Amino acid sequence: MLSAILSAFVLASVPQQTLELDGETVRITRDPFGVPHIVAPSIRSLFYGAGYAVAQDRLWQMERNRRMAKGEMAEIYGPDALAQDRAARTDGYTEDERQRHFDRLGLRLKSAIRAYAKGVNSWVAEAKREGKLPKEFAQFGVDPRPWEVTDTVAIAQLMSRRFGAFGEGEFRNLLAFTYLEARLKDKALDAVNDIAWMDDAEAPVTVPRDAPLSRSHKPVPNPPRELTKAHLALLPKLGLADLLEGIRAFAHSDEKEFAEAHGLYTRFGSYAIAVDAQRSATGNALLLGAPQMGWTTPQIAHEIRLEGGGIEVAGMGFPGIPGVLIGHTRHLAWTTTSGLGDTEDVFVEHIDPENPANYLYDGKSLPFEVRVEEIKVKGGETVRHEVRRSVHGPVVRTSGKQWAYARHSTYWERELDNFEAFFAFYEAKNLAEFEAACRKVITSHNFLAATSSGEIGYWYAGRYPVRSEKLDPRFPTPGTGEYEWKGFVPFEELPKCVKPSRGWLANWNNKPATWYGHSDTPTWGAVFRSKRLDDLLGSMLLISPDRLREVVRDIATYQVDADFFLEPLLRELPSHDAGARLLRAWDRHEREGSAAAALFRAYVGRLREETLLPTLGNFGSDQSFRQVAQASYLWHVLKPGAKPKLDYLVGRSREQVMRAAWEKAVADIQKDAGDDLSRATFRASQMNLAPLPPVPYSNRGTYIMLAELGRRGVRSISVLCPGQSEDPASPHYSDQRDLASWWMYKPLWDSVRPRTERSQ
């Protein structure tokens, strides 16, 4: 239980530090895991202390974060970082624009960011004097320049996009159609509608299916065939090479690949659970937040507790950005997951054939907005990079002399609205006030909240366009002016659920509500990981903190595909079949060394190929085929009663297809295990914490927080693996690695009043 963990936490002789800012005293107390608790009398002095403390822990990470956000990585990594920097500058802003974005913020947030920068610079000056700069500055020949408010702005904008901007699927869909048209002729569109569905009625949802609706909603069907055909006729005929480059450009592939190679953040995902007081075994509301942001050492997030200037909050944030992004106050706890909503479109600009510096829009020839960026390159000459923008946004890619492709986004120049929302969360004392803050969120996110009065709620937040009804939203939009966005979906019309009758809510980046579609990318389908959350929580009469910890451990290894494909297979296999015996005894968890897990994984892979490969082909590579052949797509072809428009099974029955896939899977396993299938070995995913040893089972939160909120106070536990510090010499570099390895947690905050007070 939370109380048992907290009572075992001894706060003896913890380090303390006192700072002064304009006559105000700032106290920094670090708990036994190095997490700083900043106490100060004002917003300014509070965030001065926060900047100082975070820089103590993560100064080199902050340096890399701001360089990645601004496109300045080549200055320390050389030519290998040029593609990353070009992409960052193409999609990013100038320094003057970032300053303008900062100037639009509210006074409290501006004061916090300025003070944070001042605190960072105070630590840098001290570290230089005392020889405490991270060794990487000398290793890469970098002298840390002063931290500017625009550095924080750049990181905040990048993080908003990285975890909340989606919708680059148009080129993937156009590639799929182009490939399938050559293969299937007039049946290509049928296949595309199967591959790129806009709504799956069987997909798990966060808003309970029996929850009342504030207005009438209907499922989102695929567009009529004639509309899609007319739309495709408006688009340029591109070759596969052009389309593949377009996919890379709009998916930020250069930036993500560089980040992956250099231990920076690359992934998005998260799960979250909220339980109200009536369903909770403790009688208090519970909230579990677990952002999944990949594994690095140090990790992407840091932890902090802030107290002063009307703020009292604890939780995780990003180095370089002041405040808490997932956490709790005394009154309310919240968490967020990426919403996967469509906030971007590819607009096709027609370059003016008579003046290539212009493009055609609304019957006029307009000049591209052009600037030239200079990228410094370590060990090489400065590179000049031209950045172009149209009325729709940055030009990410061109094709020959006729076409340019711009990223049109709902969040353009408004990313900092998100951080106005987070600062408003700190002041929210009930669900209504939290909802008001959610209105400010600009990129796509799910939010769950729980209050000290025992209530819970869910909101699908963000800014989503109302697109032209003349087009199929799954494909690029002609940019000539006839097909512009018609406005944005009002916040009131987005999915939400407050005080659900069943007493719990859960989200794992899944579909928000039955009636909500996902536009250009087939994200949400029947076979979706959040189903396991729903099954586990729905089976519990009362939900305790310990049960939530069990849920976290369970979902890290559970194979949800087995809920769909295992039983139909077992019905086809004879009881004496050795592989069938293994699978019948299997609990559907992919644990390290499991023979059954290895066998089932091999079977599903072969089932995809046996079912879909004969009709679709492999889209040019095995990787491309796996991306297209999603489990939900496979299920809707093979499920009982399925009547797909294409003959995927090539005249065979589903039973024949399953048996053929099984035989091939067994043969695959026997190549390594021999005839004894029980010798097959499943290799589980690992948390790569290099240079530290890895930890098994990576399908868990990068950071996990569990909070219990009641009228007498709040208790919370968390784990931030591998630790708070980036310094290998620090005791807090890896002191949470073993906690994570053993599915354990440390205390974060305990404000529950003593027993003597409770009786009063």
Side-chain angles (χ1 to χ4, degrees):
M1 295 179 63
L2 287 183
S3 57
I5 294 175
L6 291 162
S7 64
F9 189 62
V10 180
L11 294 173
S13 63
V14 292
Q16 295 190 24
Q17 189 172 8
T18 300
L19 309 175
E20 294 289 332
L21 178 66
D22 299 335
E24 294 184 353
T25 299
V26 181
R27 189 171 72 251
I28 303 174
T29 304
R30 290 186 179 268
D31 73 16
F33 288 89
V35 177
H37 179 187
I38 319 294
V39 180
S42 69
I43 288 289
R44 188 165 177 268
S45 55
L46 180 69
F47 283 96
Y48 172 81
Y52 182 94
V54 176
Q56 282 182 311
D57 294 335
R58 303 287 186 89
L59 185 61
W60 177 245
Q61 186 182 42
M62 292 170 67
E63 177 71 24
R64 296 206 301 169
N65 283 355
R66 69 174 168 180
R67 287 180 175 274
M68 185 173 188
K70 289 185 170 183
E72 298 173 349
M73 282 299 213
E75 193 171 348
I76 60 174
Y77 284 102
D80 288 349
L82 261 176
Q84 127 74 33
D85 285 356
R86 286 192 178 103
R89 305 226 185 172
T90 294
D91 265 314
Y93 303 110
T94 66
E95 193 72 353
D96 287 343
E97 288 170 332
R98 285 188 281 263
Q99 183 65 50
R100 188 174 73 242
H101 301 158
F102 172 81
D103 292 339
R104 289 203 302 256
L105 293 172
L107 292 177
R108 277 168 60 87
L109 186 49
K110 283 197 290 189
S111 178
I113 295 173
R114 287 194 185 105
Y116 186 89
K118 191 177 183 70
V120 173
N121 291 329
S122 179
W123 167 250
V124 170
E126 181 180 330
K128 284 183 175 181
R129 287 194 308 269
E130 300 182 7
K132 294 181 179 179
L133 284 177
K135 66 180 186 306
E136 289 86 357
F137 283 98
Q139 178 183 335
F140 285 91
V142 176
D143 183 29
R145 64 176 185 261
W147 194 267
E148 304 287 349
V149 296
T150 52
D151 294 326
T152 287
V153 168
I155 297 171
Q157 290 167 334
L158 176 61
M159 293 299 194
S160 289
R161 295 182 183 189
R162 184 60 54 89
F163 298 110
F166 309 96
E168 74 282 357
E170 292 100 323
F171 267 120
R172 285 196 298 268
N173 295 332
L174 192 55
L175 173 64
F177 177 78
T178 302
Y179 170 85
L180 290 169
E181 187 178 37
R183 185 178 179 89
L184 301 176
K185 303 298 188 279
D186 60 340
K187 291 287 187 180
L189 193 51
D190 290 328
V192 168
N193 282 334
D194 286 346
I195 292 168
W197 66 86
M198 292 185 63
D199 188 43
D200 185 341
E202 297 179 25
V205 293
T206 295
V207 177
R209 294 178 183 271
D210 60 354
L213 300 178
S214 58
R215 60 187 292 272
S216 176
H217 294 290
K218 297 180 180 179
V220 181
N222 287 338
R225 290 176 60 89
E226 294 307 314
L227 183 148
T228 302
K229 288 181 177 180
H231 182 172
L232 289 169
L234 298 172
L235 300 177
K237 300 295 184 183
L238 300 178
L240 295 182
D242 259 345
L243 289 167
L244 287 169
E245 284 301 314
I247 291 171
R248 284 188 53 81
F250 278 89
H252 302 279
S253 294
D254 287 325
E255 295 153 289
K256 292 176 182 177
E257 288 169 5
F258 180 85
E260 180 78 31
H262 292 85
L264 295 158
Y265 42 89
T266 57
R267 298 179 179 86
F268 61 84
S270 303
Y271 50 88
I273 300 169
V275 182
D276 70 15
Q278 284 69 42
R279 195 69 184 268
S280 169
T282 69
N284 296 321
L286 306 172
L287 183 118
L288 175 79
Q292 294 179 289
M293 303 173 291
W295 297 102
T296 58
T297 301
Q299 74 143 271
I300 179 176
H302 71 84
E303 203 166 25
I304 198 166
R305 183 174 169 193
L306 303 168
E307 183 178 352
I311 289 176
E312 191 172 9
V313 63
M316 64 138 274
F318 293 140
I321 303 173
V324 169
L325 304 178
I326 290 175
H328 66 85
T329 66
R330 290 180 181 271
H331 307 283
L332 185 143
W334 76 92
T335 188
T336 181
T337 75
S338 295
L340 311 187
D342 195 350
T343 59
E344 300 176 347
D345 278 350
V346 176
F347 269 66
V348 183
E349 313 292 15
H350 194 156
I351 297 174
D352 187 343
E354 298 181 3
N355 184 357
N358 288 17
Y359 61 100
L360 303 178
Y361 176 76
D362 203 18
K364 302 173 185 176
S365 178
L366 301 180
F368 286 104
E369 178 187 329
V370 180
R371 73 176 190 273
V372 176
E373 296 269 345
E374 293 191 347
I375 303 175
K376 296 179 181 179
V377 182
K378 183 178 182 179
E381 296 183 357
T382 297
V383 171
R384 291 169 60 84
H385 173 63
E386 183 179 273
V387 177
R388 292 193 296 170
R389 292 177 185 168
S390 72
V391 295
H392 299 114
V395 173
V396 176
R397 172 105 181 126
T398 58
S399 178
K401 298 180 180 180
Q402 191 174 4
W403 309 104
Y405 307 99
R407 190 191 309 275
H408 195 32
S409 62
T410 63
Y411 52 78
W412 182 251
E413 294 200 292
R414 302 243 339 238
E415 294 94 338
L416 298 188
D417 289 11
N418 288 345
F419 294 90
E420 292 277 17
F422 282 104
F423 264 63
F425 291 166
Y426 308 158
E427 299 178 351
K429 294 181 173 58
N430 54 53
L431 295 184
E433 292 174 356
F434 186 82
E435 178 175 315
C438 283
R439 290 174 175 269
K440 302 174 186 288
V441 174
I442 201 72
T443 47
S444 181
H445 301 273
N446 302 284
F447 284 97
L448 279 78
T451 70
S452 58
S453 60
E455 298 171 338
I456 62 172
Y458 161 78
W459 297 265
Y460 190 67
R463 195 177 190 220
Y464 305 97
V466 178
R467 296 176 170 86
S468 171
E469 296 179 351
K470 299 177 183 178
L471 297 180
D472 184 330
R474 298 173 297 177
F475 296 99
T477 300
T480 47
E482 299 97 322
Y483 307 103
E484 299 300 292
W485 291 346
K486 307 302 180 183
F488 301 94
V489 179
F491 180 81
E492 292 78 11
E493 295 185 12
L494 295 175
K496 77 170 189 177
C497 182
V498 176
K499 306 177 191 177
S501 59
R502 71 185 184 189
W504 61 269
L505 293 163
N507 181 271
W508 199 351
N509 310 112
N510 52 278
K511 186 177 180 179
T514 55
W515 47 268
Y516 198 83
H518 48 225
S519 205
D520 69 24
T521 302
T523 305
W524 303 312
V527 185
F528 204 87
R529 58 194 181 189
S530 62
K531 176 183 180 297
R532 182 60 175 174
L533 282 179
D534 295 345
D535 290 347
L536 289 171
L537 295 169
S539 68
M540 299 177 189
L541 293 176
L542 291 176
I543 303 172
S544 68
D546 281 348
R547 295 299 299 275
L548 289 181
R549 293 173 64 194
E550 291 171 7
V551 167
V552 168
R553 189 164 184 169
D554 177 279
I555 63 176
T557 59
Y558 192 81
Q559 175 51 268
V560 74
D561 289 12
D563 289 351
F564 295 82
F565 301 110
L566 181 57
E567 290 301 326
L569 171 66
L570 292 178
R571 287 195 292 268
E572 295 303 312
L573 298 179
S575 59
H576 63 271
D577 184 287
R581 288 199 300 271
L582 287 171
L583 291 179
R584 287 192 177 94
W586 184 43
D587 65 358
R588 304 185 184 184
H589 287 272
E590 292 188 326
R591 296 188 181 88
E592 179 70 23
S594 168
L599 192 55
F600 182 76
R601 180 70 69 89
Y603 167 67
V604 171
R606 283 298 191 176
L607 187 63
R608 293 174 194 265
E609 296 173 0
E610 197 70 23
T611 305
L612 302 174
L613 197 58
T615 300
L616 300 181
N618 72 348
F619 288 84
S621 71
D622 291 341
Q623 180 181 1
S624 296
F625 174 73
R626 286 193 297 270
Q627 290 175 345
V628 170
Q630 294 187 48
S632 294
Y633 179 18
L634 184 63
W635 172 246
H636 286 299
V637 172
L638 291 176
K639 69 180 181 180
K643 296 180 179 179
K645 292 183 179 179
L646 295 176
D647 182 17
Y648 292 105
L649 307 187
V650 196
R652 298 169 296 169
S653 69
R654 59 194 290 267
E655 291 77 15
Q656 288 173 319
V657 169
M658 288 189 293
R659 286 194 292 270
W662 173 251
E663 291 170 1
K664 291 180 180 179
V666 169
D668 292 339
I669 293 294
Q670 287 175 332
K671 290 177 184 177
D672 295 322
D675 292 338
D676 184 358
L677 296 179
S678 67
R679 297 178 61 187
T681 302
F682 178 77
R683 295 301 179 201
S685 61
Q686 293 184 325
M687 298 157 55
N688 181 6
L689 303 175
L692 298 169
V695 170
Y697 309 122
S698 63
N699 191 20
R700 61 172 102 191
T702 308
Y703 172 73
I704 303 177
M705 179 196 74
L706 174 55
E708 179 184 353
L709 300 97
R711 296 190 181 276
R712 295 189 177 91
V714 57
R715 284 174 169 153
S716 58
I717 57 176
S718 63
V719 63
L720 180 94
C721 179
Q724 177 77 9
S725 175
E726 68 180 356
D727 180 6
S730 168
H732 308 304
Y733 178 68
S734 60
D735 55 351
Q736 297 184 57
R737 179 197 169 278
D738 287 350
L739 288 179
S741 181
W742 291 99
W743 303 93
M744 296 173 68
Y745 302 83
K746 62 176 182 54
L748 174 59
W749 189 357
D750 183 4
S751 70
V752 176
R753 289 175 288 173
R755 186 175 299 277
T756 53
E757 288 189 40
R758 295 179 192 169
S759 62
Q760 296 176 0

